[in-house]
Amino acid sequence: MRPPFSLGEGSAPDMTKECAGKGEVTEWAGSGLTPNRQNGERIHMTTVRFLHTADWQLGMTRHFFSEGVQERYSQARFDAIRKLGQLAKDEDCSFVLVCGDTFESNQVDRRTVARACEALKEIPVPVFILPANHDPLNAASVFQSSTFTEQKPDHVKVIEDTAPLEISSGVELVGAPWRSKKPAKNPLHELLETLPVSGPMVRVVAGHGVADAFTPDKDAPAVLSVDELDHAIHEGKANFIALGDRHSATRLGAGDRIWYSGTPVSTDFREDNSGRALVVEVEAGNVNVQEHVVGDWRFTEFDHVDVNGADDLNNLTRTIDAIANKERTVVRLRLFGGLTLGLRVQLDTILQSAADLFAGFDVRDDDVVVMPDDADFSDLGFSGFAEKTVSRLRQQIEADRSDADQARDALMLLMRLSGGAA
Amino acid sequence: MKYKRLRIANYRGVDATEIEFETRGVTLVQGPNEVGKTSLGEAIRILFEHPDNASNRHVKAIRPVHQDAGPEIELEAESGPYCFTYYKRFHKKPATKLTITAPSPENHTGRDAHDRAQEILNETLDIDLWKALTIQQGDAIAQPDLANQQSLSAALDKAAGSVPTEQAEEDVFESVTEEYSRFYSVKTGKEGKTLKEATDDADRAESAVSEIEQKIEILEQDIATAARLQSELPSLTKRETQLREDLVEHAGVLREIESLEGRVSEATLKLESAAKTVELAVRDQKERTDTIAEVENDERKLKELAESSADVVASFENAEKQVADAEATSTAAEQRRKEADTLADLRRADVDHYKDNLFLEQLGERKERVDAARKAAAHAEAFLEDSKVDDEAVAEIDSAERNLLAAEAKLETAAPNVKLLGLGACELEIDDQPVRIEKDESRQVTIADQLRIRIPGQLQVEIAAGASTDDLTQQVENAKQKLGQLCRLAGVDDAQSARNAFDQRREALRNIEEKERIESENLRDLTYEQLAEKLLRLEETVPAYISSRVEQPEMAADLEVAKSVGDTAEEHRQNAHSDWESAHDAVIAARKVRDELGKSNESVRIELSSLEKSLEQHRTRLENDRASISDDQLNSKALEAETGHGKAKIDVGTAKAALTDKNPEKIKALAETAQSSLETAKARREAAQTELTEVRTRLRIHGEEGLHEKLHTAKTHLELVASTNRSLFRRASAAKLLYQIMNEERDLARRAYVAPLKERIERLGRLVFDESFQVEIGDDLKILSRSSGGVAVPFDSLSGGTKEQLSLVFRLACSMIVAEQGGMPLIMDDALGYTDPERLRLMGAVLAKAAKECQIVILTCVPERYGNVGTARVVSLQ
């Protein structure tokens, strides 16, 4: 057993708690015994309360942002670190555990690393960082970079091996760091195979990787087996398994002891419960997990919106209007339907206005067909060669040849240039 | 519009003039220069364009020249539904008055009148076209600018049966063209700067991404390399340590081997020294044996040579004797040969002498013959020199003689003859010539003229022939004179002498010819001088031989005998020669044999001397050697050396066996392998360490470059560029399609619209040009080219006259088209100045035809030009 983890000099926060939250020692009731210790022996069980987070993905960039949004978004991720510090403080957490993918990559800009270190300073409790597939502990590890090693606050500890870290008396943290992006086996499984039962200790195990429940490629090398994790819990090898990788806060397995914390700031449309962190209170017999909202960025997808007439356009306008916090919301719209030229031009106007408001506005309108009708052109008052031009373009559209789209565009351009609906 | 009446007063140089126009047809306004024709056209324009108080240069220009009065213009006209009279006075007491009579009467004055007139004009007329159709003096050659003339366009559209083009559409087309030109070159259709830059942006963005990706890939490779090296390094170090230990172990054994190898090498050196001693002893022994053998050998050879040399000497002496004998025989034979030669030469000289003698005689005879011939020829030539009786002379003399005889015969026949018969011999004279007539001799004498026969002292008979024989007598006399003359010329007395002389001449000629033949025969191949020279020489040599010849033996009696004796002497000589040659050959053969034997004898002698010398040397050396060391001492020394060598050999074997027991080869090989393996292992470890250091350094440097974010940024930029470009190219593609279609449709409309104008121009033009006349009208409504007979000529390349005619036809066609819509008068100011008389006539027809549909006003100072315009109202200005 290693000596207790030292926080170094300076303002070392007291990370040991005699009991969860309020510093009390919880005495185990019978039902609180760990499953493999049902020998009737009364044990004084230690309780630990910590902040479980992961997937900060610092340095992440998103391609669908409007101009200037990327910087705000990046800043939001640094701000989230500070919020987590505040949350840890508010919730009396002993430490913060970051279960992997702290950085988007080992090759992030040194300014990103520096800003991360700066934000980490504002977390008042010890921070344990687990290297994972995005930032593995290889020869180019960001955690060994000069910027990180020089600027990292003392209370931040990178979990570099599987040696148990004694958090406090009776509480230990064991992490399974990744040493490469593509290990032959998930390091957590390797750890659990050799890890002895925790005994009277409260043991928190930190790991990273996609669980077989969430991937179709269940036989891939680094996939986590939920059953095996459950089994480890059952054997008493861990009291809580804190995971990273999945960006939505998710409970795994049979009990309440295996969790993905999710990312503190949402990163994509597919995340149904992101922007969270977990306050976990563990004792041998009990676990209490609370989700806390951290981030206020949203990725909202409308994957089927019909636009077949003026009413639909009105509905769309109302839907868009109803979305709050637009400057931190990224919207994806998938539009379907058929419109006249005039309505199509209206739709474009709606979409253009919306694009100006949202952090990102990703429209997929390949399935919106423009069918010009007579009314589109009647106001233009063409009678000569311009009218014949319109007629030829319309024929081209109706013939539905490969150049129909080009003809539609040409018609819309003509409308615009002649001061029509456009 | 139609002009009905125009009046101007106080206008430039014109005091007052008024013209009434033909409203439908031609009005021909004629008059000399400066009468004010041009002012008429100008006045109408000024009337409409400028207010009465205007003071611009146009208006100033129309002030009267010689009086202080305001220029006045009054026009009565129809335009659209309006009939009006419009009056203006400028400068002095300016005034404007407009009186409208239809459709409803109106009266306006001042500015109001001007504005109302403008309104009517704008309402009913295309002012630009109206201006364009007026031909000012001097601009008849140029085409009017008719592009964008709305009334013409409207008329053309109507004529083409198409919908008139709204200005709005042209505006849209302009916008479309502008949009298109944002992306493409309107001229070439090639992509413009915007699209090119977009493509370049995309290329740059892509290469930026791939550059960062490459860097990341290198980084990943370095990470993998670092991991590999880290795992390899411990095993490399372990291997190195193992090899070091092996090497220490091998070093101990190698030291032992080294000591044993020292022993072997020492024993080997001793063995080599013993072997050298043996070698020297054996060599000394052999040298002694060789010297003894050489002495013995020399003695034996000397003996053998002494025996064989006796035979050689005997043979040589015999050969010398043979030579002497042969030489004696040869000398005798040579003496005999010389004697035979002398005799044979003498006999041959004798024969030659006889032959020369004979030749001398022959040559003398031949010379005599030649000399005789030469002499005769000389005589003949001398004769010929004097003789004048040649072929011609003798022929003439013969002819003259025959004439004389003939004349005499005639005289004899015609003249009286006197026959004299000698009764006895008698002497008489006939014509004073003594004549003797023998007895019974009869002589007839013809009396040519008169004859006198006289018997001297007795009788003289004179007989006259009378007149009838005079001629004949004269002829005879003439013939005689002729003959006599010829004979004198030929140097002879009479004809007979002439013939004799001629015969002598022929003889002389023959003698000259004969001389050639004789010379040729007798001189043969010699010249006369050579012959003479030879003869002279022989005459000297032949007698000299006799005097110089030896007495004995005696000379033969004659040539034949000399020849026979000579032959015998020659035979003897041949034999003597043959004998001498045989003897000479025998001498040479004997000498050869003697010389060869002489050589053998000499070499034997030299060999003997050499052998004697060699024997002497060998004997001396042997004696000296033996004095130094005896044969026995040499033998015992060799034996000792052999024993020492055997012992040294045994010592080497013992040392080598000890070394072999240690298996030095194996040990050395193992040690060497261990050493090189160690070096390899060390090098590998060091290389791995160096590489790891390098990789770590690289990773430290590049790992913090922020490649990840850079890549994301680059990719985002690429996506943005791609998306922008997609949209841009889509817009460009739309603009292109729209522009292309609209341009095509516009061109089609233009072509349709131009068609009636073209048709009208061609219809009028065919009156002037031929039936194949065609024009090509451009988009700007200008004639681009004229074709005739299928050959198109650009307008600018046409002659001045043709340009003028075409421009006028063009204006007329426009007027006719517009006429259907209310009309537009055409004012021509002295046009057709470039046109030739024939074309003028044809242009008259064109004008006449056009005048049926529109109003034409022609202003001219040359009314004859327009003599063929058909019906026209003629107004003369004075």
Side-chain angles (χ1 to χ4, degrees):
Chain A
M1 180 61 71
R2 286 187 170 190
F5 172 63
S6 164
L7 292 173
E9 296 164 14
S11 61
D14 182 6
M15 62 180 181
T16 57
K17 299 280 181 188
E18 281 301 297
C19 60
K22 308 300 176 193
E24 293 169 0
V25 176
T26 307
E27 194 172 321
W28 274 100
S31 61
L33 291 174
T34 48
N36 60 337
R37 294 185 183 274
Q38 295 173 349
N39 54 5
E41 186 190 353
R42 292 178 67 85
I43 305 165
H44 279 283
M45 291 298 292
T46 310
T47 302
V48 67
R49 188 176 171 88
F50 66 97
L51 186 66
H52 173 199
T53 178
D55 302 294
W56 292 359
Q57 316 281 154
L58 299 170
M60 174 186 260
T61 52
R62 302 276 77 181
H63 66 280
F64 33 62
F65 285 142
S66 308
E67 204 178 342
V69 175
Q70 175 66 49
E71 186 49 36
R72 281 202 285 123
Y73 181 71
S74 298
Q75 188 55 47
R77 302 193 82 79
F78 293 114
D79 292 345
I81 299 173
R82 295 182 174 88
K83 282 189 188 172
L84 291 170
Q86 188 60 45
L87 182 62
K89 188 181 174 191
D90 293 348
E91 292 292 325
D92 256 343
C93 293
S94 311
F95 62 95
V96 173
L97 175 59
V98 190
C99 289
D101 292 354
T102 310
F103 291 98
E104 174 69 358
S105 157
N106 273 335
Q107 280 75 54
V108 290
D109 195 286
R110 57 173 65 85
R111 281 172 299 186
T112 303
V113 179
R115 287 165 77 183
C117 290
E118 199 60 28
L120 281 166
K121 284 179 186 166
E122 297 187 30
I123 298 182
V125 295
V127 180
F128 295 93
I129 294 176
L130 182 76
N133 60 326
H134 275 253
D135 48 7
L137 260 186
N138 59 20
S141 170
V142 63
F143 301 115
Q144 289 165 355
S145 70
S146 55
T147 313
F148 187 80
T149 52
E150 286 162 16
Q151 300 189 20
K152 167 185 85 71
D154 292 337
H155 66 279
V156 173
K157 161 77 178 169
V158 176
I159 302 172
E160 292 181 340
D161 51 36
T162 53
L165 299 161
E166 187 176 353
I167 301 294
S168 62
S169 175
V171 178
E172 67 178 18
L173 169 65
V174 186
W178 288 46
R179 302 196 165 274
S180 78
K181 281 187 175 183
K182 290 174 182 171
K185 190 170 184 178
N186 191 299
L188 179 56
H189 284 314
E190 281 183 350
L191 168 66
L192 291 174
E193 277 170 15
T194 55
L195 196 66
V197 294
S198 61
M201 285 275 193
V202 168
R203 183 186 282 162
V204 174
V205 171
H208 187 95
V210 65
D212 52 9
F214 302 113
T215 176
D217 189 10
K218 299 185 194 313
D219 297 328
V223 170
L224 289 170
S225 158
V226 178
D227 286 346
E228 283 183 32
L229 299 184
D230 263 341
H231 187 64
I233 295 286
H234 184 72
E235 281 183 323
K237 287 185 173 181
N239 299 98
F240 184 84
I241 298 178
L243 295 175
D245 186 67
R246 185 170 167 78
H247 287 193
S248 294
T250 312
R251 187 178 59 80
L252 269 188
D256 201 20
R257 291 171 182 270
I258 308 170
W259 277 83
Y260 281 110
S261 65
T263 176
V265 180
S266 302
T267 64
D268 211 342
F269 297 100
R270 303 292 178 195
E271 298 162 3
D272 53 5
N273 195 30
S274 56
R276 305 283 198 269
L278 305 179
V279 173
V280 182
E281 192 178 65
V282 187
E283 56 178 351
N286 255 324
V287 167
N288 182 16
V289 177
Q290 289 175 343
E291 285 181 24
H292 289 262
V293 172
V294 179
D296 54 358
W297 283 71
R298 278 190 302 154
F299 289 76
T300 306
E301 182 168 26
F302 299 89
D303 61 0
H304 191 109
V305 179
D306 284 318
V307 280
N308 284 313
D311 290 346
D312 287 343
L313 295 188
N314 291 336
N315 287 338
L316 177 64
T317 307
R318 278 196 291 276
T319 306
I320 289 169
D321 284 349
I323 298 171
N325 195 16
K326 290 188 178 62
E327 71 274 15
R328 285 187 293 280
T329 302
V330 181
V331 171
R332 177 175 286 161
L333 279 180
R334 291 184 189 277
L335 304 176
F336 297 85
L339 293 173
T340 64
L341 262 184
L343 288 175
R344 171 70 228 204
V345 173
Q346 271 186 36
L347 173 64
D348 285 346
T349 310
I350 294 168
L351 296 177
Q352 186 53 53
S353 309
D356 295 339
L357 299 174
F358 286 94
F361 198 68
D362 183 24
V363 179
R364 312 285 167 94
D365 61 351
D366 296 347
D367 295 314
V368 179
V369 181
V370 177
M371 294 303 297
D373 68 357
D374 293 342
D376 282 332
F377 303 98
S378 55
D379 294 341
L380 296 177
F382 293 154
S383 55
F385 64 85
E387 189 189 29
K388 288 194 170 147
T389 305
V390 170
S391 157
R392 271 179 66 182
L393 289 170
R394 288 184 66 183
Q395 279 168 15
Q396 208 161 308
I397 293 166
E398 279 153 21
D400 204 18
R401 295 200 312 248
S402 58
D403 53 5
D405 281 342
Q406 197 189 354
R408 277 189 194 95
D409 290 347
L411 268 183
M412 287 203 282
L413 175 63
L414 178 58
M415 282 189 83
R416 185 164 67 75
L417 293 176
S418 50
Chain B
M1 182 188 252
K2 286 191 171 65
Y3 308 134
K4 296 171 83 172
R5 179 181 61 83
L6 174 70
R7 179 180 71 81
I8 57 174
N10 306 325
Y11 192 103
R12 291 183 187 264
V14 181
D15 289 340
T17 194
E18 183 169 334
I19 297 157
E20 298 221 350
F21 298 100
E22 192 63 52
T23 52
R24 186 174 278 262
V26 179
T27 304
L28 185 64
V29 181
Q30 62 180 50
N33 288 332
E34 296 187 18
V35 80
K37 298 183 301 298
T38 305
S39 301
L40 296 175
E42 178 193 53
I44 294 174
R45 190 178 285 188
I46 283 179
L47 174 68
F48 282 104
E49 276 182 11
H50 304 285
D52 53 22
N53 57 357
S55 58
N56 57 49
R57 62 184 174 87
H58 298 289
V59 176
K60 278 181 180 163
I62 65 170
R63 276 197 288 223
V65 187
H66 303 299
Q67 49 184 317
D68 184 19
E72 292 175 39
I73 306 167
E74 185 179 75
L75 176 71
E76 189 182 342
E78 291 172 6
S79 192
Y82 300 96
C83 294
F84 57 88
T85 303
Y86 190 25
Y87 167 83
K88 266 184 189 163
R89 185 169 59 231
F90 297 87
H91 303 305
K92 278 259 169 186
K93 296 179 185 171
T96 304
K97 195 174 169 189
L98 176 67
T99 309
I100 301 171
T101 53
S104 51
E106 289 175 49
N107 279 304
H108 301 273
T109 55
R111 184 73 198 189
D112 176 42
H114 176 82
D115 293 342
R116 179 62 181 136
Q118 286 291 315
E119 266 178 34
I120 290 172
L121 221 56
N122 286 334
E123 186 185 328
T124 57
L125 202 65
D126 182 340
I127 296 171
D128 291 334
L129 181 61
W130 172 61
K131 288 178 185 169
L133 290 183
T134 302
I135 305 174
Q136 295 289 335
Q137 242 176 359
D139 64 359
I141 261 185
Q143 297 191 58
D145 181 9
L146 298 175
N148 304 321
Q149 303 284 342
Q150 285 198 356
S151 61
L152 180 62
S153 301
L156 288 172
D157 276 325
K158 192 180 170 202
S162 56
V163 182
T165 302
E166 297 290 337
Q167 187 55 40
E169 294 195 22
E170 282 295 340
D171 293 345
V172 169
F173 179 69
E174 201 173 308
S175 306
V176 169
T177 308
E178 195 182 330
E179 179 76 5
Y180 174 72
S181 68
R182 284 177 60 202
F183 305 110
Y184 299 97
S185 155
V186 175
K187 273 188 183 171
T188 62
K190 285 183 183 164
E191 283 188 358
K193 194 178 161 202
T194 314
L195 294 185
K196 278 182 193 155
E197 280 177 356
T199 310
D200 290 348
D201 284 350
D203 289 347
R204 274 197 294 276
E206 258 177 49
S207 59
V209 168
S210 72
E211 195 180 316
I212 299 168
E213 279 175 343
Q214 248 173 359
K215 278 188 180 174
I216 289 175
E217 197 186 324
I218 292 169
L219 200 73
E220 295 290 348
Q221 282 168 4
D222 279 350
I223 291 167
T225 308
R228 176 177 57 76
L229 291 171
Q230 272 172 333
S231 72
E232 274 177 12
L233 264 174
S235 66
L236 287 173
T237 311
K238 193 178 160 197
R239 168 85 179 133
E240 199 183 327
T241 313
Q242 180 63 52
L243 286 166
R244 276 186 204 287
E245 286 166 3
D246 289 354
L247 211 56
V248 170
E249 196 182 310
H250 293 316
V253 183
L254 279 175
R255 273 193 298 277
E256 285 176 40
I257 288 170
E258 207 176 318
S259 157
L260 286 171
E261 279 174 345
R263 271 179 60 197
V264 169
S265 112
E266 202 181 326
T268 309
L269 279 176
K270 281 181 183 168
L271 176 61
E272 279 169 7
S273 170
K276 201 84 183 171
T277 312
V278 170
E279 194 184 315
L280 286 173
V282 168
R283 194 196 65 195
D284 290 348
Q285 268 185 313
K286 187 174 181 296
E287 275 177 7
R288 177 63 52 87
T289 316
D290 288 349
T291 309
I292 293 169
E294 277 165 356
V295 168
E296 287 168 0
N297 192 33
D298 286 350
E299 286 169 346
R300 183 178 46 79
K301 274 186 181 168
L302 198 59
K303 194 181 164 206
E304 284 167 6
L305 198 59
E307 282 165 5
S308 66
S309 70
D311 295 342
V312 174
V313 171
S315 301
F316 179 64
E317 284 166 359
N318 185 35
E320 291 227 294
K321 190 174 172 289
Q322 295 284 328
V323 169
D325 289 350
E327 279 172 351
T329 310
S330 175
T331 309
E334 192 174 10
Q335 181 60 38
R336 284 195 296 277
R337 189 204 63 183
K338 282 176 183 167
E339 285 166 4
D341 280 345
T342 309
L343 184 61
D345 289 343
L346 183 66
R347 293 299 180 199
R348 184 180 289 166
D350 287 350
V351 170
D352 288 345
H353 168 71
Y354 279 116
K355 280 182 181 170
D356 283 348
N357 199 34
L358 184 62
F359 193 36
L360 176 63
E361 283 169 16
Q362 286 170 345
L363 282 182
E365 284 166 14
R366 277 161 64 188
K367 187 168 181 285
E368 274 169 22
R369 281 195 290 273
V370 171
D371 287 343
R374 284 192 170 186
K375 196 174 173 187
H379 284 304
E381 274 168 5
F383 173 80
L384 287 174
E385 192 79 12
D386 298 333
S387 167
K388 292 168 184 163
V389 186
D390 54 8
D391 284 351
E392 195 183 345
V394 82
E396 280 176 348
I397 289 170
D398 278 350
S399 168
E401 191 187 35
R402 273 192 306 278
N403 287 344
L404 177 60
L405 290 174
E408 282 171 345
K410 275 181 189 171
L411 183 61
E412 208 169 314
T413 319
N417 289 324
V418 174
K419 196 171 179 179
L420 304 177
L421 185 59
L423 299 174
C426 72
E427 294 282 339
L428 69 157
E429 286 178 6
I430 302 171
D431 287 343
D432 301 331
Q433 293 291 321
V435 175
R436 181 184 172 94
I437 295 172
E438 301 297 325
K439 190 185 175 239
D440 297 333
E441 183 188 356
S442 155
R443 181 169 295 192
Q444 188 165 335
V445 178
T446 306
I447 304 164
D449 186 14
Q450 60 180 32
L451 186 71
R452 192 167 58 234
I453 300 168
R454 185 193 299 162
I455 302 166
Q458 294 176 8
L459 175 71
Q460 180 166 314
V461 179
E462 289 184 359
I463 309 159
S468 63
T469 60
D470 285 354
D471 281 354
L472 291 173
T473 309
Q474 185 62 43
Q475 280 175 12
V476 170
E477 194 53 35
N478 288 350
K480 264 185 190 164
Q481 279 179 4
K482 174 80 177 172
L483 180 61
Q485 193 180 0
L486 287 171
C487 287
R488 274 193 304 279
L489 277 172
V492 290
D493 298 334
D494 54 22
Q496 189 55 47
S497 307
R499 274 188 291 276
N500 291 344
F502 184 69
D503 287 345
Q504 281 170 358
R505 179 185 180 89
R506 277 202 301 205
E507 184 59 28
L509 287 170
R510 207 166 33 246
N511 283 344
I512 290 169
E513 278 170 20
E514 188 67 4
K515 176 205 138 196
E516 298 293 331
R517 187 189 60 78
I518 288 168
E519 272 187 354
S520 154
E521 251 176 28
N522 292 287
L523 289 177
R524 299 178 195 164
D525 53 347
L526 298 173
T527 61
Y528 180 79
E529 288 73 19
Q530 286 169 337
L531 180 72
E533 198 185 338
K534 272 193 174 188
L535 189 60
L536 196 64
R537 210 168 49 239
L538 284 171
E539 281 167 353
E540 283 172 8
T541 57
V542 170
Y545 180 75
I546 300 292
S547 59
S548 68
R549 189 185 181 277
V550 291
E551 287 181 2
Q552 288 301 326
E554 276 183 15
M555 200 169 156
D558 57 22
L559 180 62
E560 288 310 313
V561 178
K563 272 183 182 172
S564 164
V565 174
D567 287 348
T568 311
E570 187 63 29
E571 201 178 320
H572 283 152
R573 178 161 70 173
Q574 295 290 344
N575 291 338
H577 269 261
S578 174
D579 289 349
W580 174 78
E581 276 166 10
S582 301
H584 186 70
D585 288 348
V587 169
I588 290 169
R591 277 178 185 159
K592 195 178 174 192
V593 171
R594 184 204 58 192
D595 291 347
E596 280 167 6
L597 285 169
K599 273 183 201 162
S600 301
N601 190 32
E602 182 63 20
S603 79
V604 166
R605 207 176 52 75
I606 291 167
E607 205 177 338
L608 265 176
S609 148
S610 157
L611 267 176
E612 279 163 3
K613 212 175 271 173
S614 167
L615 179 61
E616 184 59 33
Q617 282 172 354
H618 289 142
R619 274 179 181 156
T620 310
R621 196 168 78 204
L622 184 62
E623 277 166 21
N624 290 343
D625 287 354
R626 276 181 174 154
S628 171
I629 183 166
S630 72
D631 294 355
D632 291 345
Q633 280 172 324
L634 265 182
N635 291 341
S636 67
K637 202 176 169 188
L639 202 64
E640 268 172 40
E642 198 63 52
T643 315
H645 180 254
K647 192 169 171 287
K649 219 173 187 178
I650 292 163
D651 288 349
V652 168
T654 315
K656 277 186 176 170
L659 181 62
T660 312
D661 283 349
K662 288 287 173 189
N663 201 350
E665 292 302 315
K666 186 183 167 191
I667 298 300
K668 280 181 186 170
L670 285 173
E672 262 174 39
T673 311
Q675 180 63 43
S676 56
S677 300
L678 175 61
E679 279 161 16
T680 309
K682 192 181 164 205
R684 279 183 64 197
R685 179 188 51 77
E686 283 172 355
Q689 263 171 348
T690 309
E691 195 184 355
L692 184 60
T693 309
E694 284 171 3
V695 167
R696 279 182 171 155
T697 309
R698 275 206 299 273
L699 285 172
R700 246 200 319 282
I701 294 166
H702 299 302
E704 295 182 50
E705 270 183 17
L707 287 175
H708 168 77
E709 278 140 304
K710 281 182 181 164
L711 178 63
H712 264 276
T713 309
K715 277 185 170 170
T716 307
H717 179 63
L718 174 60
E719 251 176 67
L720 181 69
V721 169
S723 145
T724 310
N725 282 4
R726 264 197 306 280
S727 148
L728 182 75
F729 278 94
R730 194 168 161 166
R731 267 162 50 208
S733 154
K736 189 176 186 177
L737 180 67
L738 182 58
Y739 173 77
Q740 283 171 343
I741 292 183
M742 195 169 243
N743 199 31
E744 276 171 28
E745 289 300 333
R746 186 167 169 272
D747 282 350
L748 276 175
R750 266 291 163 95
R751 280 199 289 279
Y753 153 101
V754 165
L757 180 61
K758 175 175 155 70
E759 190 266 338
R760 198 66 68 114
I761 292 170
E762 287 173 356
R763 194 142 54 87
L764 286 178
R766 279 173 194 154
L767 296 173
V768 186
F769 306 102
D770 57 25
E771 272 305 302
S772 64
F773 169 77
Q774 281 186 325
V775 284
E776 188 191 350
I777 310 283
D779 277 355
D780 56 354
L781 290 181
K782 283 212 160 131
I783 297 176
L784 298 179
S785 67
R786 178 208 69 169
S787 340
S788 192
V791 180
V793 181
F795 182 84
D796 289 338
S797 305
L798 293 168
S799 71
T802 308
K803 279 184 189 170
E804 182 185 55
Q805 291 141 25
L806 271 179
S807 297
L808 181 55
V809 164
F810 188 19
R811 284 179 165 92
L812 287 169
C814 290
S815 287
M816 286 165 81
I817 286 170
V818 178
E820 291 164 12
Q821 300 248 305
M824 192 75 76
L826 179 71
I827 298 181
M828 296 165 50
D829 189 355
D830 254 345
L832 298 178
Y834 294 92
T835 302
D836 65 45
E838 173 57 18
R839 287 275 173 86
L840 270 177
R841 193 176 61 76
L842 299 171
M843 282 305 292
V846 171
L847 287 167
K849 189 172 177 72
K852 287 180 183 166
E853 294 176 41
C854 62
Q855 186 183 23
I856 297 171
V857 178
I858 301 171
L859 311 172
T860 182
C861 57
V862 195
E864 305 80 53
R865 272 191 207 159
Y866 305 96
N868 295 299
V869 296
T871 311
R873 171 180 297 203
V874 179
V875 180
S876 294
L877 293 182
Q878 297 301 326

